[in-house]
C-alpha cells in the first residue's frame, strides 16, 4: 500500500488524514502483537502532531512523513513489548524524541518508565509530550547515563534504541545492571555473524544473550533485531 494514500494534499505537512493514519497504526500494531485501545491511539495521534510541529524548528528526527514516523518510530518502538510481560519498570537510555520509552509507556501505562538523554532540546520536547499526554509514573533525566550510575540498578528492564555501537553500551552498563535485570538492544537488520559477534562482546561484559528476535516492520519498512541480554551473576 502506498504511503501517499494516507496524506492529504495540503500546504501544511501537519494536515494528514487522521482516520487513515490511526487505522494504519492499529493494524500495524496488531501485526507485531500489540493491541491499542482507542484512548491510546488518540495519544499517539497527539504525539505525532506535536512531533511534526516541533520538528520544523528543532530537527528532532530525520523522518518527516507522518506515516513513516508512525511505523519507523512508534510501531518500531513497540516491537519489544510482547517480550516484556510482567515488567514493572523500564529505563530508556538515549531516548531522543522519546523512543522507545514514550510509545512503550502509552501502550503499557502500568510500567514505571525513566527516560535519559544528553541533548537538552530533546529532553525539553519529551517533557512537553509527557505533560500534553498527561502521562503518569514517568521520569526524565538530562545527562549521560555514565554520570548517573545510581539510576540503572533500579530498573528490571534497561533498553536502548540509540546506540549504533552496542559494545559501548555493554561497557557502560556491565557493572551497573542489577542481578536478574535485562538489557534490550534494538538494532536494524543483522546477520548471524553480527549476532555472534555481539554475543561474544556481551559475554565479555558478563551479559548473556538470552533471546534474539528478528522481524520485519509492517509495510516493508525494514528489518529489525531485538537482542535480550541477562546480567550474569
Amino acid at each position: 500500500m502506498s504511503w501517499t494514500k494516507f496524506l492529504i494534499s495540503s500546504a501544511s505537512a501537519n494536515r494528514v488524514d487522521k482516520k487513515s493514519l490511526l487505522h494504519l497504526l492499529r493494524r500495524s500494531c496488531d501485526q507485531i502483537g500489540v493491541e491499542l485501545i482507542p484512548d491510546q491511539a488518540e495519544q499517539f495521534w497527539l504525539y505525532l502532531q506535536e512531533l511534526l510541529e516541533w520538528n520544523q524548528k528543532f530537527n528532532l528526527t530525520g523522518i518527516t512523513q507522518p506515516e513513516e514516523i508512525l511505523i519507523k518510530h512508534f510501531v518500531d518502538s513497540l516491537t519489544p513489548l510482547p517480550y516484556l510481560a510482567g515488567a514493572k519498570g523500564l529505563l530508556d537510555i538515549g531516548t531522543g524524541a522519546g523512543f522507545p520509552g514514550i510509545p512503550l509507556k502509552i501502550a503499557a501505562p502500568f510500567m514505571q518508565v525513566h527516560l535519559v538523554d544528553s541533548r537538552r532540546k530533546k529532553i525539553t520536547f519529551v517533557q512537553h509530550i509527557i505533560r500534553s499526554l498527561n502521562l503518569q509514573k514517568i521520569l526524565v533525566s538530562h545527562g549521560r547515563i555514565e554520570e548517573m550510575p545510581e539510576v540503572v540498578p533500579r530498573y528490571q528492564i534497561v533498553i536502548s534504541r540509540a546506540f549504533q555501537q552496542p559494545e559501548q553500551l555493554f561497557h557502560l552498563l556491565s557493572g551497573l545492571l542489577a542481578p536478574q535485570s535485562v538489557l534490550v538492544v534494538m538494532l536494524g537488520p543483522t546477520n548471524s555473524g553480527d549476532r555472534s559477534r555481539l554475543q561474544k562482546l556481551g559475554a565479555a561484559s558478563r551479559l548473556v544473550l538470552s533471546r534474539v528476535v528478528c522481524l520485519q516492520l509492517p509495510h516493508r519498512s525494514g528489518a529489525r533485531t531485538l537482542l535480550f541480554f541477562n546480567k550474569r551473576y
Side-chain angles (χ1 to χ4, degrees):
M1 182 179 298
S2 172
W3 291 124
T4 57
K5 179 177 180 181
F6 298 98
L7 297 178
I8 293 178
S9 178
S10 168
S12 169
N14 286 9
R15 292 178 60 189
V16 296
D17 185 344
K18 177 179 179 180
K19 182 177 179 181
S20 295
L21 279 174
L22 290 187
H23 177 69
L24 175 64
L25 173 65
R26 289 190 294 267
R27 190 175 65 222
S28 299
C29 285
D30 286 343
Q31 291 178 33
I32 63 167
V34 175
E35 182 178 356
L36 297 181
I37 63 174
D39 285 350
Q40 291 167 329
E42 287 291 332
Q43 287 181 303
F44 276 111
W45 172 252
L46 177 58
Y47 193 179
L48 173 64
Q49 294 300 294
E50 293 296 317
L51 182 57
L52 288 170
E53 183 69 27
W54 280 59
N55 202 50
Q56 294 179 29
K57 298 179 180 179
F58 297 105
N59 190 29
L60 298 172
T61 173
I63 299 174
T64 58
Q65 292 299 320
E67 62 287 343
E68 290 193 89
I69 290 173
L70 187 151
I71 299 293
K72 294 182 179 181
H73 280 324
F74 294 172
V75 176
D76 181 38
S77 292
L78 293 174
T79 53
L81 189 57
Y83 310 98
L84 301 180
K88 296 180 180 179
L90 180 146
L91 173 64
D92 176 9
I93 298 176
T95 191
F99 309 122
I102 289 181
L104 287 168
K105 178 63 182 179
I106 293 172
F110 54 85
M111 274 203 300
Q112 170 79 51
V113 172
H114 192 153
L115 312 176
V116 175
D117 201 277
S118 62
R119 293 157 292 184
R120 169 57 68 185
K121 67 180 180 180
K122 296 193 174 182
I123 286 294
T124 300
F125 172 72
V126 163
Q127 290 170 328
H128 169 72
I129 288 297
I130 290 170
R131 291 191 299 268
S132 298
L133 302 184
N134 193 29
L135 298 177
Q136 306 297 314
K137 294 185 178 180
I138 183 166
L139 303 174
V140 181
S141 294
H142 175 233
R144 298 182 181 279
I145 195 62
E146 57 266 38
E147 298 167 353
M148 48 188 84
E150 74 285 352
V151 170
V152 178
R154 301 175 191 170
Y155 293 94
Q156 177 186 1
I157 305 295
V158 178
I159 193 165
S160 181
R161 186 174 175 261
F163 277 78
Q164 299 301 315
Q165 301 296 326
E167 52 266 43
Q168 181 185 3
L169 187 64
F170 298 154
H171 177 71
L172 288 173
L173 298 181
S174 61
L176 301 178
L177 290 166
Q180 300 183 340
S181 59
V182 178
L183 171 63
V184 184
V185 181
M186 301 179 66
L187 299 172
T190 61
N191 57 39
S192 59
D194 296 328
R195 295 188 291 273
S196 177
R197 180 180 66 87
L198 292 171
Q199 181 177 17
K200 292 177 182 177
L201 287 169
S205 297
R206 295 184 295 142
L207 298 171
V208 178
L209 182 61
S210 57
R211 184 194 294 265
V212 177
V213 178
C214 298
L215 54 91
Q216 293 286 333
L217 290 178
H219 295 272
R220 301 179 181 178
S221 297
R224 295 291 187 270
T225 307
L226 307 176
L227 302 177
F228 295 76
F229 290 87
N230 292 87
K231 175 69 176 290
R232 183 186 298 167
Y233 290 99

